[in-house]
Amino acid sequence: MIALGRKAGPRLTDRRRRRFLAGAVALPFAGRAAAALVPTPACGPQAAATPGQTEGPYFLPGSPERASLLEPDSPPERLTLDGDVVLRDCRPAAGALLEFWHCDDRGLYDGTGYRYRGHQFSDRNGRFRLETIFPAIYPGRARHIHVKVQAPHGPVLTTQLYFPGDARDGLWRRELVVALSRAGAARQAAFRFIVEA
Ligand code: FE
């Protein structure tokens, strides 16, 4: 396990040290894109939990468990979201439920099936990875991804994730903006959820 606070000691291996120094979010991918991503809000004594937001009208319970929401006919603009779930004291939330749903590339939600809907659980270090498309912007809203996050036995956090420089509606909040880099049609995003135990 990687220490996320000042307790990281001198016995860290070089590999682990690089990951520690790279930022609070230990991203499981390597290379230039990882180095470019600045971690989203840090945990720690003064940390606020990730703010909640409205669920909106399009949540459907019962989504399939899957880390990839890609469909055979998905458009080429792909988004990978890496991150982790931690408690306010920085302990990783292993086995946290993450439920994602978002509109398609035309700005439409699937109201009868589970296109672009799915849930997964964080690993033992609290990490997760979502592979999906870059959701479209639909009228009246900033581009967003809906999410529910729940540490084991904790309260459910319902919120939305946003993208940099897209404050086109009153719901967009800086604390909910992912770190983002782009290489061609692939976008790499990172976010840390800070949740209540
Ligand atoms: Fe929405």
Side-chain angles (χ1 to χ4, degrees), residues 61-86:
S63 74
E65 181 177 350
R66 54 185 176 184
S68 174
L69 306 185
L70 294 173
E71 301 278 351
D73 61 347
S74 286
E77 291 215 303
R78 302 297 163 84
L79 174 71
T80 302
L81 172 65
D82 279 293
D84 62 3
V85 183
V86 299

Side-chain angles (χ1 to χ4, degrees), residues 58 101 109 138 141 144 146 160:
Y58 301 118
W101 73 103
Y109 286 86
Y138 59 84
R141 289 303 322 273
H144 61 280
H146 295 271
Q160 303 182 34

Side-chain angles (χ1 to χ4, degrees), residues 1 6 13 35-36 47 52 55 61 77-78 85 97 99 103 111 114 118 125 127 129 133 141 143-144 157-158 169 192:
M1 183 183 301
R6 290 189 208 91
T13 63
E55 177 178 284
E77 291 215 303
R78 302 297 163 84
V85 183
L97 169 68
E99 169 99 37
C103 68
Y114 291 100
N125 295 314
R127 293 190 205 134
R129 167 175 281 187
I133 62 165
R141 289 303 322 273
R143 194 187 312 271
H144 61 280
L157 166 70
T158 300
D169 68 13
R192 160 166 282 171

Side-chain angles (χ1 to χ4, degrees), residues 13-95:
T13 63
D14 285 351
R15 180 164 164 267
R16 286 186 168 184
R17 182 180 299 281
R18 278 199 301 276
R19 293 169 76 180
F20 175 72
L21 294 174
V25 177
L27 299 167
F29 54 88
R32 198 159 45 88
L37 292 178
V38 177
T40 47
C43 55
Q46 307 300 322
T50 303
Q53 288 211 312
T54 176
E55 177 178 284
Y58 301 118
F59 174 68
L60 282 183
S63 74
E65 181 177 350
R66 54 185 176 184
S68 174
L69 306 185
L70 294 173
E71 301 278 351
D73 61 347
S74 286
E77 291 215 303
R78 302 297 163 84
L79 174 71
T80 302
L81 172 65
D82 279 293
D84 62 3
V85 183
V86 299
L87 306 177
R88 289 173 71 175
D89 64 3
C90 299
R91 279 183 297 145

Side-chain angles (χ1 to χ4, degrees), residues 13 62 67-68 71 79 82 117 150 161-162 177 193:
T13 63
S68 174
E71 301 278 351
L79 174 71
D82 279 293
R117 300 174 184 272
Q150 182 182 29
L161 297 182
Y162 298 100
V177 172
F193 294 97

